[in-house]
């Protein structure tokens, strides 16, 4: 089982390096497949969408934004290709009518703003402030994780990732009352504001955080939640998912990873987990073969160097 968090060399990808792109295919096609499989019933079509995603990644690599991870870049493209496919298919279905395997409503999927390429412009935060906030949220998650404060981490994730209300949150985690949730949230925001203060380039963000933590919080929660989801601030590294699968996680990390997968139902991590679980299946062998061929064909047709 391959559990490495391999990250490609973007310069090589930009230079259309065959080896590097083939490695991308080997490392990522599986998790993309499982992401698509949650929306698309038809197996053949799943392979097509993965293929289109990888080709889209080759074509768009010049516009890769290093604020996000390469995996996020791929999932962003995959999300859009899946929507395109479902739209095309719905157009067909309306003409022929009467298929009963229609997946989740396209409108809902299209309205989701969790992938970087679909991030809408913030009301309160500039683009720059959002990028910094994404970094700080990840920093906060890592800090909280390394302190072993998994309940705190889950509470904040429930509020920002899950959009839970305080009263549902305190009950789920056996806290005293809603005030406990509000307290955890307040302390988290203060800490994130401190992290902003430590960075000279984050002055604008620091000021916005100060203003928003003092004034009301409706738009603030919305914005932070959006950045949290778009940046996948709390997604555990692949190695943690592999350990969860192998049953070797300790209680703290396990509680969080389970919560993230089962209650937050993070579809990126669920796709990763499925990939780890089924790495050697025939279905995936066929997928790899096709995706590999089409990627190579495309690279060669462009006279890759
Ligand atoms: Zn996740």
């Amino acid at each position: 089982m391959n559990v490495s968090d391999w990250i490609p060399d973007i310069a090589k990808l930009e230079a259309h390096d065959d080896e590097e792109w083939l490695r991308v295919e080997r490392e990522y096609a599986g998790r993309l497949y499982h992401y698509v499989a949650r929306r698309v019933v038809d197996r053949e079509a799943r392979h097509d969408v993965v293929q289109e995603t990888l080709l889209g990644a080759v074509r768009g690599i010049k516009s890769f934004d290093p604020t996000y991870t390469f995996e996020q870049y791929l999932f962003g493209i995959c999300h859009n290709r899946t929507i395109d496919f479902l739209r095309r298919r719905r157009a067909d279905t309306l003409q022929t009518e009467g298929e009963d395997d229609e997946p989740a409503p396209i409108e809902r999927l299209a309205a989701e703003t969790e992938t970087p390429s679909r991030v809408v412009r913030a009301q309160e935060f500039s683009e720059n402030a959002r990028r910094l906030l994404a970094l700080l949220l990840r920093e906060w998650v890592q800090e909280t994780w390394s302190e072993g404060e998994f309940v705190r981490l889950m509470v904040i994730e429930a509020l920002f990732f899950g959009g839970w209300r305080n009263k549902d949150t305190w009950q789920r985690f056996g806290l005293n009352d809603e005030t406990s949730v509000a307290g955890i949230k307040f302390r988290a925001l203060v800490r994130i504001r401190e992290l902003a203060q430590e960075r000279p380039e984050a002055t604008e963000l620091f000021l916005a955080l100060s203003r928003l933590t003092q004034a009301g919080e409706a738009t603030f929660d919305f914005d932070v939640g959006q950045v949290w989801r778009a940046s996948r601030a709390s997604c555990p590294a692949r190695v943690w998912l592999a350990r969860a699968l192998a049953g070797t996680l300790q209680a703290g990390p396990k509680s969080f990873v389970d919560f993230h997968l089962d209650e937050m139902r993070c579809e990126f991590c669920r796709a990763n987990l499925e990939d780890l679980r089924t790495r050697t299946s025939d279905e995936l062998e066929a997928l790899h073969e096709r995706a590999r061929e089409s990627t190579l064909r495309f690279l060669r047709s462009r006279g890759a160097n």
Side-chain angles (χ1 to χ4, degrees):
M1 182 159 55
N2 179 358
V3 299
S4 72
D5 282 325
W6 177 77
I7 297 164
D9 179 336
I10 301 297
K12 284 187 183 172
L13 296 184
E14 284 182 350
H16 285 177
D17 180 298
D18 280 9
E19 284 296 310
E20 199 73 354
W21 275 108
L22 288 179
R23 176 110 198 249
V24 164
E25 189 285 319
R26 277 202 309 280
E27 295 284 339
Y28 294 95
R31 50 194 112 160
L32 294 172
Y33 175 85
H34 290 292
Y35 179 84
V36 176
R38 290 172 38 79
R39 317 282 191 178
V40 174
V41 177
D42 183 279
R43 287 186 163 211
E44 197 65 11
R46 291 172 183 172
H47 289 225
D48 290 343
V49 174
V50 171
Q51 230 169 301
E52 285 172 24
T53 299
L54 289 166
L55 292 180
V58 178
R59 287 194 200 98
I61 192 64
K62 295 273 187 219
S63 62
F64 175 74
D65 175 353
T67 309
Y68 299 101
T69 64
F70 183 73
E71 188 191 55
Q72 287 175 295
Y73 167 72
L74 281 183
F75 273 130
I77 297 171
C78 191
H79 179 85
N80 292 338
R81 290 292 171 276
T82 305
I83 292 172
D84 291 346
F85 168 79
L86 293 173
R87 285 212 174 103
R88 282 199 306 271
R89 207 182 74 143
R90 186 173 62 168
D92 294 346
T93 309
L94 287 178
Q95 278 164 12
T96 57
E97 89 179 86
E99 279 192 48
D100 53 5
D101 57 356
E102 195 67 31
I106 304 160
E107 287 72 16
R108 199 180 141 256
L109 181 61
E112 284 172 11
T113 52
E114 63 205 352
T115 57
S117 57
R118 300 187 55 79
V119 167
V120 296
R121 243 192 133 62
Q123 314 225 322
E124 297 288 348
F125 293 145
S126 69
E127 200 56 43
N128 187 43
R130 293 172 67 87
R131 279 161 197 267
L132 282 163
L133 181 58
L135 292 176
L136 298 184
L137 291 177
R138 265 179 267 169
E139 219 173 302
W140 182 85
V141 167
Q142 276 159 21
E143 185 178 274
T144 308
W145 181 295
S146 62
E147 287 167 356
E149 295 287 350
F150 293 100
V151 170
R152 190 195 298 166
L153 183 55
M154 285 187 278
V155 166
I156 296 301
E157 162 133 306
L159 298 177
F160 288 132
F161 188 113
W164 286 16
R165 291 170 303 179
N166 286 6
K167 70 172 183 191
D168 300 319
T169 309
W170 76 263
Q171 282 168 340
R172 163 63 179 81
F173 296 106
L175 300 169
N176 289 337
D177 51 26
E178 292 189 30
T179 328
S180 314
V181 176
I184 290 175
K185 180 175 163 189
F186 179 74
R187 284 191 295 277
L189 292 176
V190 167
R191 179 62 190 141
I192 292 167
R193 207 174 59 190
E194 275 172 18
L195 293 172
Q197 204 171 10
E198 289 165 12
R199 291 171 177 255
E201 75 274 25
T203 308
E204 183 204 346
L205 176 64
F206 171 74
L207 293 173
L209 287 170
S210 302
R211 185 161 43 84
L212 290 164
T213 44
Q214 281 158 16
E217 44 180 64
T219 56
F220 176 71
D221 277 11
F222 177 74
D223 281 351
V224 175
Q226 215 178 43
V227 173
W228 183 287
R229 287 187 297 273
S231 65
R232 298 178 57 200
S234 59
C235 286
R238 194 166 155 88
V239 62
W240 292 101
L241 300 175
R243 287 182 197 160
L245 200 58
T248 57
L249 278 186
Q250 290 183 319
K254 182 177 187 321
S255 65
F256 176 76
V257 172
D258 287 350
F259 178 71
H260 186 72
L261 289 167
D262 300 335
E263 291 178 69
M264 295 293 104
R265 303 187 71 78
C266 172
E267 49 188 339
F268 303 107
C269 290
R270 289 168 73 94
N272 255 304
L273 190 72
E274 267 315 294
D275 175 45
L276 289 167
R277 192 178 273 146
T278 58
R279 276 247 133 186
T280 55
S281 72
D282 292 346
E283 176 70 11
L284 286 182
E285 279 311 308
L287 168 76
H288 285 304
E289 196 160 325
R290 277 183 55 176
R292 200 156 48 224
E293 278 170 17
S294 90
T295 304
L296 269 184
R297 246 196 330 275
F298 182 78
L299 288 167
R300 304 245 153 92
S301 73
R302 306 261 300 208
N305 34 15

